[in-house]
Amino acid sequence: MAEKRVYFFGNGKAEGNAKMKELLGGKGANLAEMTNLGVPVPPGFTIATKVCGEYYKSGGKWPKGLAEEVAANLAKLEKAMGMRLGDPERPLLVSVRSGAASSMPGMMDTVLNLGLNDDVIEGIIRKTGNPRFAWDIYRRFIDMFGDVVMGCDHEYFEEKIHAAKKKAGVEVDSELSAEQLHAVVEEYKKVYKQHVGKMFPQDGMDQLKHAIDAVFGSWNGARAVRYRELNKITGLLGTAVNVQAMVFGNMGEDCGTGVCFTRNPSTGQKEFYGEFLMNAQGEDVVAGIRTPIELSKLNKVMPKAYKELTRLMTRLEKHYKDMQDMEFTIQEKKLYILQTRTGKRTAPAAVRIAVDMVNERLIPKKDAVMRVTPDQLDQLLHPHFDAKAKRDVIASGLPASPGAAVGQVVFTADTAEEWRDKGKKVILVRKETSPEDIGGMDAAEGILTAFGGMTSHAAVVARGMGKCCVAGVAGLNIDYVTKKFTTGKVTVKEGDWISLDGSKGEVIKGQVPTVEPELSGEFGKFMKICDQIRTLGIRTNADTPADSKRARDFGAEGIGLTRTEHMFFEGDRIWPVRQMILAADDYAAMLTNLDMAENDKARKAVEKEYSVAKKQFEGALKQLLPLQRGDFEGIFTAMAGLPVTVRLLDPPLHEFLPQDAASQAEMARRLGVKPKVVQEKVASLHEFNPMLGHRGCRLSITYPAIARMQGRAIIEAALNVKKKGKKVLPEIMIPLVGTVAELKIVKDDIVDEINAVFKERKAKIPYMVGTMIEVPRAALTADEIATEAQFFSFGTNDLTQMTMGFSRDDAGKFLGEYVRKGIYKDDPFQKLDQTGVGKLVEMGTKLGRKVRKNLKVGICGEHGGEPSSIEFCHRVGMNYVSCSPFRVPIARLAAAQAAVRNK
Amino acid sequence: MAEKRVYFFGNGKAEGNAKMKELLGGKGANLAEMTNLGVPVPPGFTIATKVCGEYYKSGGKWPKGLAEEVAANLAKLEKAMGMRLGDPERPLLVSVRSGAASSMPGMMDTVLNLGLNDDVIEGIIRKTGNPRFAWDIYRRFIDMFGDVVMGCDHEYFEEKIHAAKKKAGVEVDSELSAEQLHAVVEEYKKVYKQHVGKMFPQDGMDQLKHAIDAVFGSWNGARAVRYRELNKITGLLGTAVNVQAMVFGNMGEDCGTGVCFTRNPSTGQKEFYGEFLMNAQGEDVVAGIRTPIELSKLNKVMPKAYKELTRLMTRLEKHYKDMQDMEFTIQEKKLYILQTRTGKRTAPAAVRIAVDMVNERLIPKKDAVMRVTPDQLDQLLHPHFDAKAKRDVIASGLPASPGAAVGQVVFTADTAEEWRDKGKKVILVRKETSPEDIGGMDAAEGILTAFGGMTSHAAVVARGMGKCCVAGVAGLNIDYVTKKFTTGKVTVKEGDWISLDGSKGEVIKGQVPTVEPELSGEFGKFMKICDQIRTLGIRTNADTPADSKRARDFGAEGIGLTRTEHMFFEGDRIWPVRQMILAADDYAAMLTNLDMAENDKARKAVEKEYSVAKKQFEGALKQLLPLQRGDFEGIFTAMAGLPVTVRLLDPPLHEFLPQDAASQAEMARRLGVKPKVVQEKVASLHEFNPMLGHRGCRLSITYPAIARMQGRAIIEAALNVKKKGKKVLPEIMIPLVGTVAELKIVKDDIVDEINAVFKERKAKIPYMVGTMIEVPRAALTADEIATEAQFFSFGTNDLTQMTMGFSRDDAGKFLGEYVRKGIYKDDPFQKLDQTGVGKLVEMGTKLGRKVRKNLKVGICGEHGGEPSSIEFCHRVGMNYVSCSPFRVPIARLAAAQAAVRNK
């Protein structure tokens, strides 16, 4: 017996099944499976993938026996349908599709209605009495066959119909009459002849053979080959060819067509949902010319078909264990399922369906967590604009922080706070934001910046606040003096209303109505399922008690990053800090000279010489200590029982000084020095590359007293909160460490100060000292660093900047182009670059654990809230990820999905 | 028989030898070895190191039998010297010294003249008739014994002699009379009694026992323990104790003392060299009160001793195979060698001695290359100030580029060039330098900057030019407007003369006379020896034909880095470049839109829209092409037959625009645009962290036409030079690559352009395309990058910045403190950080060669000229290092030494 090459499916039985994907391709195996399930799919047959290989081996010839096998299966198909290819009275029309074992763009698209020819058309006209319909499908078939199968560009056909419309004086295709369409068909045939070099084939078998050849040919088409190369797909036999009978819902009043869902795709409710039209084609349902009818009405019109359909819906959902989106056609009362696939759904529906299906014991929890995408969850967490509202988009930028915001434009942080205090809603518009703007950002509904990328200051802070932000709007010209901004031709003044769509990055004129998010009870249930599945801990980046509380409500299991910068900026604190900075150089010189002094006398002389600097510097710290202690008490209280990682002061000192002349003059006046002193200090602190400058633990090396003050504030706060009966787990984190030596120096200082506190208070509390791994060298020498660090937290924002050599504030100028050109698949500040930066993260984790087995490892960069990065962290074996409060639920989901994927 | 603990040496025979270092310590083994060689060292004995261990084990007691063994050896020593401890007539005096198997600071220093007491002093006075001398050595002994042996601080003794001098109304010790010194001795004894709690011991054996105990005790002194910890010295038994007879050259006219060298330490000439004094002590030769006599004269005074001495000099040099520096004493006509050690020598002497000794077959070549330090070679390559000249140092900074420069102060590059053209010698003084200053730097004798570190622009360029530079002078206040600078209280105006010492980092007022370097024939011979030993290739960083020529003369085997920035700056070229930059945004927009255009028509519309930008951008490149081609022709001609690595444009575009308002206005006038256009362009190109900004190959991604122009210029130049019969080996280097995808895009562009050139010229030439590895990610993914790169060149300047998170322009603010505190042992911009950055270099090299076995790997950062970094490169298996022309000989030496050390 000859080798079997063609597999039939139809009449409730198929020669293939779902397991034969390699041989029949994904589509062929699926059609076979559905047939075997008793689903009435239109019958047909699949030419196996291996035939494609044989075809190429023989230089593009059909293997011996294939023609006969195709003919035999076609005969079987004709019998099953009671129709025949080319028979004008009962014409069998078929579709031809490619289908390899893996889905693969670049191969041949569908050819529909194969089998049409001049005779068949006449038959159809006779039968339907609708010549317009007949000529229209014929001209479409010639076009599709010419373009897809014979390589005669679609444009050539378009020119002809364009000319016909012009001649007829009409705008759209549907206005052409039957006669005009008939003329178009004749034109199309000419086009075909001219470009293909042959007459349009009238023989159905001839058409079919060409179509099958075209499918085989597309397997080695440039795009398909390139796709396989890029995705490293090798070892496939070829593509299968699926030939399937066409069915029609528009052949009379006993025909119809529709779309249905096994659950409500909008709400997730468990109910049959869908719509249909009698005597219509699938596209009529979509086109909206006739109004489709609600599915349940089908029960009245065709109860048998309806019953059959609902039976199949139940059957298929149970089989595929997910909500199905099905297309059906009823041809002469017979129901055909054209397609069933997993149905798209809204975010609330996704959550509800996942929870319900677990309750129904249809799917296990590990499957349920895969049914909601992190993006869907994100949608649930932010308000959004009413989808029906009109939008006058005046500019577009980066969707830096999702959500919708409406407010009046202000240009300074101070104005934002003032107006907010007066009960106004404001949008803060800045060229870029800086830590000085925090108050204003907090006061604003949303933030709009002209510069900066997805991880610019504005973006990061806004996401942290769960606040809408559009950043990096090219062409946004802001004039702070006249309090105006322009985008192209639109000018917006202070006080004008605008709306920001943080999910799309759009700036909209006026007030767009918003819809508040609704976190239904299902949301909480779903999150619980996620928690049961995930193994990765989820912490949050939170700098205030309010943020801590919010994050805890969202399910955070601790704080992975408390930045302390704001504890130096906020309110009047900035003044002692500025005083301190003015004294800093002399203070550092004093420390150096004390170091070098040989005896007490010399030391005293040094202290005397620098007594002013000493007084100012240490005096400032004394003022800050109780304030920061209070800050920490608030945070520890909000996070009682959970660990809190506090990062010591990180930014370079110049960020605390005003940059414009007026504010400098004001600072001079207030601190009682000459303006020149302030100007010179600003100049002397200027750095060419502040990102790589005097910041992080480098400050603690130069000014150990600052780290000591912070260490003291943290531990005193912890003891105070503990006294109130609450459990506090402080973790002190030293930033920007590059070598174990600097970590040790700073750690020793802090530990020394903490021991002093313990002694003074006659009380102790367990605490940890660890470090951020954000300088590449730290990751490379993590085995040395772990000898001093009790935990690692990967600061992947800076680690990405340094490892890739991008400044995140500047990269906007070229990074877009890099992503567009595919140089980097994603913005590495949004998704962790696993190949490069990830290699360092993995290396650092392994090296660290080599010397300290129980080293706690986490991540506190922006990536800690991004799903693919979270999965990476899971794989690397981290203990936790830390992200902004609003990302916590997303991280919980992503961690659960990571656990499932990597089991 | 009891275990042997004490080893005698004397009378031409020793019980130990050089191989017994572990047991006798380094010093003891050496004394034994010299004795065995027949060198008349003063006799003595060594208590073995293991005794120290026994001493500690028994809780600080002498092991049984040791006292007897010491006494027996002392008796032997007394017999050998014909003297006795404590005998006033023929008193034996001894020295006591520690000495472990490895040299170790922190242990006990020498105690001299042990054996002195009140009786012996009287004897000495009688014998010498010089009571002043006697009381002086006695008071010194009490001080030394009290301080070193008994722990009675030297300061207490100092107070007494201070008081005595005050009382006597004299300034210096030597002005005190015998009586006054006698009184001091009595005071010293009181001090001793008060602090030690006992009388000063009069018994020589008692003194000796205390001294031996003190040596044992010092083994576990805090400093010695810490030193062993830090240097991970373990497994040593303890310290040995060396007791050796004192000999005196001042006991009469048949006595003398001197110092001699087996070769001239100043010139290296093979001749006996040295000086002596009759009836004198060693310190008299050094003190300069009496004028020492030239060594050969000794032949007349004491022919026998002279003959013996020269015989010993020859013997010892042959034995130790290096030039010896010896101290000798003649006591009553008997010659003693007190010490022989490898002699210090000047740089020219070091070279000459190494070459001569190879010729004499005294040492193999591999030893010869170890005899000259890279620092010595460096001295030979730069002019230096006359050591005798007076210096009025007005400020100090970093020794950024060695050499000596004298000139008149100017404050702008333009003035430097103008004045130079008028025949003046100038020193260019800038706050910092930028590429715009290159012309002025070239015109200047030396460069002085207020900011920037050892690898600041000024430093790097100056070293490249072999030009003296002092950088980062703290407190140097420059006022460009009034054309003055001040350092503390000195003000220097334009036109004033100053001198710079680039080796010391000193700024000197006025003109200090200089001495030109002399590269004798020996230099060339020595370099040849180095070349025979080394396996690492040495290339140079050279941007011009003159530099290339110079480097070639210095022995460079090719160019490892030709920067092309200056080819965009020089002379009038800056104008088309600026024109190009003004058009750049629109040009880039055009490229993007062309990319997205769907058909020819759309493409034409885009080109029309941007026709002005296109014309300006491409027009500028057309102007630059022939100029750069000419530049390359010059370099290729100078380097004919050797490979030349050309780096494509690297700096961000803003470096080509003027930063001050006046120059911006001038630019606007010249290019016929409004000043605002220039200002806006400067503002739009501003970067927060330019180091991590839009530069390197990122420019080639945005503006492929620039890379294409450079590729064309290189290859057209290569073909032109080849036509003249010269061999050209161009290697095109793409900078700042972070991922293989961007390398591939830029490489494909260049290769495409080069193929076009080949086609036009109907000629070909072999070439390579490779990349700099300077972004950490490139090293981490070197296996991917090597699939496209034919060579790697590690740009360790930037790699260090990014890996360690330091900006080299800013790190000056804290790096000094880091090095001072030992956080980093060395400035990582000077010496490659082998632990961190080196790990990436090694990883990159290995990963790269994994996919491309014959991958050529080099280094072109500043480290390429630094010896310890060169050794690292050798160990990692690089093919070559590349350094500035003046560092080439040093690199050749360092490479040879690396080969010897790592055989």
Side-chain angles (χ1 to χ4, degrees), chain B residues 302-341:
Chain B
M302 281 192 159
K304 213 178 128 195
Y306 180 75
K307 209 176 147 194
E308 170 72 354
L309 180 63
T310 53
R311 188 186 67 79
L312 286 168
M313 285 167 81
T314 308
R315 176 84 204 265
L316 284 169
E317 186 181 273
K318 234 179 209 154
H319 182 72
Y320 289 107
K321 296 184 192 305
D322 203 351
M323 186 262 268
Q324 294 297 300
D325 165 0
M326 296 156 63
E327 287 174 29
F328 63 91
T329 284
I330 301 166
Q331 175 175 303
E332 294 165 333
K333 287 197 181 154
K334 179 156 172 48
L335 174 74
Y336 290 98
I337 303 297
L338 300 186
Q339 178 161 282
T340 184
R341 57 184 168 189

Side-chain angles (χ1 to χ4, degrees), chain B residues 414 436 575 578 656-671 675 678-679 682:
Chain B
D414 288 346
E436 287 184 84
W575 295 107
R578 287 177 171 174
F656 296 91
L657 297 187
Q659 297 300 316
D660 61 300
S663 308
Q664 286 172 4
E666 153 76 9
M667 170 172 162
R669 207 175 314 123
R670 184 143 176 177
L671 296 182
V678 174
Q679 286 156 23
V682 169

Side-chain angles (χ1 to χ4, degrees), chain A residues 686 742 777 780 805 818 833, chain B residues 698 742 777 818 833 839:
Chain A
H686 171 259
E742 64 187 342
R777 194 183 188 280
L780 290 163
Y818 263 59
D833 160 45
Chain B
R698 295 166 195 171
E742 64 187 339
R777 193 182 189 282
Y818 264 61
D833 160 44
K839 199 164 186 176

Side-chain angles (χ1 to χ4, degrees), chain A residues 663-735:
Chain A
S663 308
Q664 286 171 4
E666 152 75 7
M667 169 172 162
R669 208 174 314 123
R670 183 145 179 173
L671 296 183
V673 296
K674 285 185 190 156
K676 210 183 155 193
V677 172
V678 175
Q679 285 156 24
E680 279 177 1
K681 175 57 75 172
V682 170
S684 84
L685 287 179
H686 171 259
E687 293 183 315
F688 294 96
N689 294 287
M691 157 73 207
L692 306 175
H694 194 185
R695 50 176 282 248
C697 69
R698 295 165 194 171
L699 293 173
S700 307
I701 294 288
T702 318
Y703 314 110
I706 302 178
R708 280 178 178 265
M709 180 279 285
Q710 291 203 289
R712 174 174 282 272
I714 292 164
I715 294 299
E716 288 185 351
L719 290 171
N720 291 350
V721 174
K722 187 190 168 192
K723 238 184 183 169
K724 292 180 187 154
K726 290 192 170 148
K727 198 171 175 190
V728 188
L729 300 163
E731 301 176 348
I732 300 174
M733 181 156 74
I734 300 171

